[in-house]
Amino acid sequence: MARLVIMGAGVAGHTAASFASDWLGKEHEVVVVTPNSQWNWIPSNIWVGVGEMSKDEVVFPLAPVYEKAGVDYRQAKAVSVHPEGKADSDAPYITIEYTGQDKEGQSEELTYDYLINATGPKLNFGATPGLDAGHTVSVCTADHAVHANVELENLIEKMKKGEKQKILIGTGHGMCTCQGAAFEYIFNVEHKLKEEGVRDMAEITFITNESFLGDFGMGGLHFKVGGFVTSSKVFAESLYAERGMNWIIGAHVNKVEAGKVTYELLDGSAGEAEFDFSMLIPPFAGVGFTAFDKAGEDITSKLFAPNGFMKVDAKYDAGAYENWKASDWPRTLQNPDYKNIFAAGIAFAPPHIISKPMSSPNGTPINPTPPRTGMPSAMMGKAVAASICDMIKGKTNEPTHTASMSEMGAACVASAGKGLFNGTAAAMTVYPIIPDFEKYPGTGRDLNGTTGEIGLAAHWVKHILHHAFIWKAKLKPGWTLIPE
Amino acid sequence: MATEHVKHIEAYSPQFGTMIPSGFQKWLRTCVLWQLVRFVAINIKMTMLILKSHH
């Protein structure tokens, strides 16, 4: 019997655990280690953050699902990785510290034959002074979104009393990713204000580390509209302009105070923005594991990149932007030194960012870091699980499945307001996620696979996806038929 | 009024340099019949994308 240990139960980890337990059956052991007791369909946190959904609609308890699937669920956080075992044992193991199951604070060693790191990110609120001080809100977790909605409701009450309010939504650091979440939230807030009849009482501004609106951390995208090949810059700017919303681009928020942020722009100038309500996305970092060899020497830098994400089969020495290629991106997601360790989702270390690197004249890097949430995360989790299952069953010693972001597309449905007949969303497909300028000269993407439009139909798609993915995550009948 | 949908744009503001949808385009976005067509189209596009992406 082999044991597969999966650290993390987000989109990548839960997908890997679900498929691995299905494919391996009872002959082998699948163990999931996550500090969380609940699974969260994060894309719908946006709707929680504007009061259109309750927390209960976007989360469910993990324990019964894993019990049904035969997965050994440990509510614990992984602390360290020991890929060579220890002095008296060659068995690789991780150390975990329980956060629930009536074992809070207890530590344990958990041996593995194969390990998947799918821990997702650490929400690095500490990277920007004041971002963790409660002056702003976030929608990164369901609880954060509930709090955001409470604050938004208070704001709406003030507007109904005739007080004009300033709203600032965007990224809280120059190295943030997940601009899509901020994008969705600002449009949902604007939609909510219209529904409440107070839109004219709010001045709404988007602040972003993107060098242009519509970069989305992917260097933007192009698609065919009305006989033109149009940039996502025009698409995104149009959406903001149509709604009378302002934007600040190329901004590194360097300080958050009560009612005010200060920021540095790509041209080196400094600025301030005042707010009565602000939702700022924090930057992401690896969760901060340590790793040790058999002798107990620290090998964290061997297993993890300086940002805390795990090294895999990527080309980490690609050099300057001019040398970057789509093939720099990992395919098997296997660690090069320890072949029984894989990383999936946000947890793997990208070889470099996707957007062109930029910094201010003061040397401050201001560019989005690569998005790898949602569909890519799920596809990586499934591919890694498939490779490991083949290896466990003795079919091969090498990974049999790949999930390179340079060979896969992504579908993104960004809500712009919820409502069965008056909701809208932007539906975008991009192929491939990593622009391949050798294969697709000019825009780097297949114009037949890269599309964008806004409308009610996309909202319906988003709403259906909400229910479909929660159905799938609960492993209800037919879950394997729902694609990633 | 023909310019109703652009009257909030200030000259030489950032919003001045981009496309603004016409009233008809905005109407199409929530026109149920047209959106049923787009719903089918979006699903086809996403299905094609998924099929191309699995290796």
Side-chain angles (χ1 to χ4, degrees), chain A residues 16 27 153 183 190 216 230 232 242-243 257 295 309-310 348 356 379 395 438 475:
Chain A
E27 290 175 42
E153 293 290 348
F183 175 94
E190 201 264 349
F216 297 127
T230 304
S232 54
E242 171 194 340
R243 290 162 176 76
E257 299 169 89
F309 297 120
M310 183 174 266
F348 85 84
K356 187 173 182 177
M379 292 177 74
K395 293 180 184 173
E438 292 176 331
L475 309 184

Side-chain angles (χ1 to χ4, degrees), chain A residues 96-401:
Chain A
I96 64 174
E97 184 181 311
Y98 282 89
T99 59
Q101 297 175 320
D102 298 326
K103 296 180 183 176
E104 287 88 339
Q106 291 182 32
S107 293
E108 191 175 308
E109 292 178 0
L110 192 59
T111 59
Y112 63 83
D113 295 291
Y114 290 90
L115 178 68
I116 298 176
N117 178 13
T119 47
K122 169 188 165 189
L123 302 174
N124 195 10
F125 287 98
T128 302
L131 191 59
D132 56 357
H135 304 309
T136 59
V137 298
S138 125
V139 288
C140 294
T141 69
D143 286 327
H144 288 179
V146 169
H147 175 235
N149 181 50
V150 170
E151 297 292 326
L152 182 62
E153 293 290 348
N154 291 339
L155 194 84
I156 290 170
E157 284 306 309
K158 288 180 185 173
M159 286 190 266
K160 284 182 174 173
K161 290 175 184 168
E163 297 176 38
K164 292 214 169 191
Q165 301 289 301
K166 291 182 177 176
I167 296 174
L168 181 71
I169 292 170
T171 54
H173 189 274
M175 299 284 280
C176 282
T177 184
C178 229
Q179 288 76 18
F183 175 94
E184 285 191 87
Y185 194 60
I186 195 168
F187 283 98
N188 273 270
V189 166
E190 201 264 349
H191 182 79
K192 173 90 174 178
L193 299 188
K194 275 185 191 158
E195 300 251 294
E196 297 283 348
V198 293
R199 173 63 186 91
D200 58 336
M201 300 302 292
E203 180 185 321
I204 308 177
T205 303
F206 189 63
I207 186 166
T208 179
N209 57 344
E210 300 160 284
S211 63
F212 59 89
L213 286 185
D215 178 289
F216 297 127
M218 300 188 294
L221 54 143
H222 291 76
F223 39 76
K224 292 185 278 191
V225 179
F228 289 82
V229 174
T230 304
S231 162
S232 54
K233 174 179 186 290
V234 177
F235 182 71
E237 284 183 350
S238 174
L239 295 174
Y240 286 87
E242 171 194 340
R243 290 162 176 76
M245 297 194 288
N246 307 312
W247 61 81
I248 303 166
I249 55 171
H252 164 60
V253 173
N254 50 28
K255 191 176 182 185
V256 181
E257 299 169 89
K260 185 176 78 174
V261 301
T262 55
Y263 56 84
E264 178 183 349
L265 295 178
L266 272 169
D267 65 6
S269 64
E272 288 183 359
E274 294 183 346
F275 63 83
D276 299 295
F277 173 85
S278 177
M279 195 292 289
L280 295 178
I281 298 283
F284 291 173
V287 296
F289 292 128
T290 48
F292 299 93
D293 67 9
K294 195 172 181 64
E297 294 293 321
D298 192 317
I299 55 167
T300 305
S301 61
K302 184 178 178 183
L303 210 55
F304 297 94
N307 56 13
F309 297 120
M310 183 174 266
K311 293 178 185 173
V312 290
D313 60 322
K315 184 175 171 57
Y316 292 109
D317 57 355
Y321 173 74
E322 291 70 26
N323 302 324
W324 293 359
K325 291 184 177 176
S327 56
D328 298 340
W329 287 75
R331 301 184 80 241
T332 65
L333 299 151
Q334 185 183 42
N335 180 265
D337 293 309
Y338 300 100
K339 302 294 185 185
N340 59 345
I341 299 180
F342 293 74
I346 296 172
F348 85 84
H352 42 69
I353 62 175
I354 305 173
S355 306
K356 187 173 182 177
M358 296 189 187
S359 58
S360 74
N362 309 319
T364 307
I366 305 175
N367 39 234
T369 45
R372 43 206 192 279
T373 51
M375 184 176 167
S377 279
M379 292 177 74
M380 284 183 235
K382 186 177 182 181
V384 164
S387 289
I388 291 173
C389 288
D390 284 346
M391 293 161 91
I392 286 175
K393 290 176 178 175
K395 293 180 184 173
T396 172
N397 290 323
E398 297 296 327
T400 48
H401 289 70

Side-chain angles (χ1 to χ4, degrees), chain A residues 47 52 191 195 417-424 456 459-460 463:
Chain A
W47 288 335
E52 294 289 343
H191 182 79
E195 300 251 294
K418 190 169 178 287
L420 186 59
F421 294 109
N422 69 347
T424 55
L456 179 61
H459 170 71
W460 292 337
H463 207 97

